[in-house]
Amino acid sequence: FNGRFLTNGQTIVLTPTLSPDQKQIAYLSYLDKRPTIYIYDIASGRQRKLVTDVSMALAPRFSPDGRTILYSMAQNGNTDLYRIPAEGGASTRLTNAPGINTGGSWSPDGRRIVFESDRSGGQQLYVMNADGSGQQRISFGSGRYATPAWSPRGDLIAFTKIGGGFHVGIMSPSGGNEK
């Protein structure tokens, strides 16, 4: 009821995410013919490009305090995780491994990040500190692990497991107790 479109429908827009204060939306748009991240201010209706001069930036996620956005960026055949202030500025590279590092999700306290990576030869889940340090693999089962999301209490990570079909699972942030 009383829904309204925030974009004009003239280009592809994907992966919207609300800021914790629900005043902004970060999303991927092909507005300039290249996928990049925009911020939409709900009150003013203005949008602005957050990440500039990239070949492909995708999958934005606000930090729990709303001050930082985590995203994936593909450059030179490699995809890594980056963070950038929500107000704009310089990006900080968090991963630097060959292959695809994407699908980041913040822990509720904003101190850790879970993500998916194929650096070990297959798509698996990893956790790291919010500054990119302490990267460690937490999934070791057969199949591929994807789309990790931290639980609101911070005690579980939900994920998709692909192998013998598609399954939804949970595990502890240390990788134990997979179900």
Side-chain angles (χ1 to χ4, degrees):
F1 185 72
N2 286 336
R4 67 179 169 123
F5 290 104
L6 304 178
T7 57
N8 65 16
Q10 299 300 308
T11 187
I12 297 171
V13 290
L14 302 166
T15 64
T17 184
L18 274 166
S19 63
D21 64 8
Q22 299 183 24
K23 293 182 179 179
Q24 297 180 321
I25 300 172
Y27 59 95
L28 165 74
S29 175
Y30 283 75
L31 187 62
D32 292 331
K33 307 290 188 246
R34 287 188 289 175
T36 195
I37 298 168
Y38 285 80
I39 301 289
Y40 181 89
D41 182 89
I42 294 171
S44 70
R46 281 184 252 139
Q47 70 178 2
R48 63 182 166 83
K49 187 186 289 189
L50 181 66
V51 180
T52 59
D53 300 325
V54 298
S55 59
M56 183 187 315
L58 46 124
R61 294 290 174 250
F62 279 97
S63 62
D65 65 9
R67 294 189 295 197
T68 305
I69 293 178
L70 177 68
Y71 68 97
S72 299
M73 183 164 54
Q75 291 192 59
N76 303 319
N78 202 54
T79 302
D80 282 298
L81 288 166
Y82 291 77
R83 69 176 188 210
I84 187 169
E87 296 304 315
S91 292
T92 301
R93 188 177 188 169
L94 300 177
T95 60
N96 190 12
I100 299 171
N101 300 278
T102 190
S105 173
W106 296 92
S107 64
D109 63 8
R111 296 172 55 192
R112 298 176 77 201
I113 296 167
V114 62
F115 63 101
E116 62 188 81
S117 175
D118 64 359
R119 66 179 69 177
S120 65
Q123 193 173 347
Q124 299 291 327
L125 300 183
Y126 291 76
V127 293
M128 66 180 165
N129 296 321
D131 65 0
S133 67
Q135 296 179 25
Q136 64 183 59
R137 183 174 164 180
I138 62 168
S139 64
F140 293 94
S142 61
R144 296 178 301 164
Y145 291 76
T147 63
W150 224 293
S151 70
R153 288 190 314 232
D155 60 335
L156 294 171
I157 293 173
F159 57 89
T160 304
K161 187 171 182 180
I162 307 155
F166 288 84
H167 307 278
V168 173
I170 55 171
M171 70 174 62
S172 71
S174 63
N177 303 317
E178 181 178 335
K179 297 178 184 164

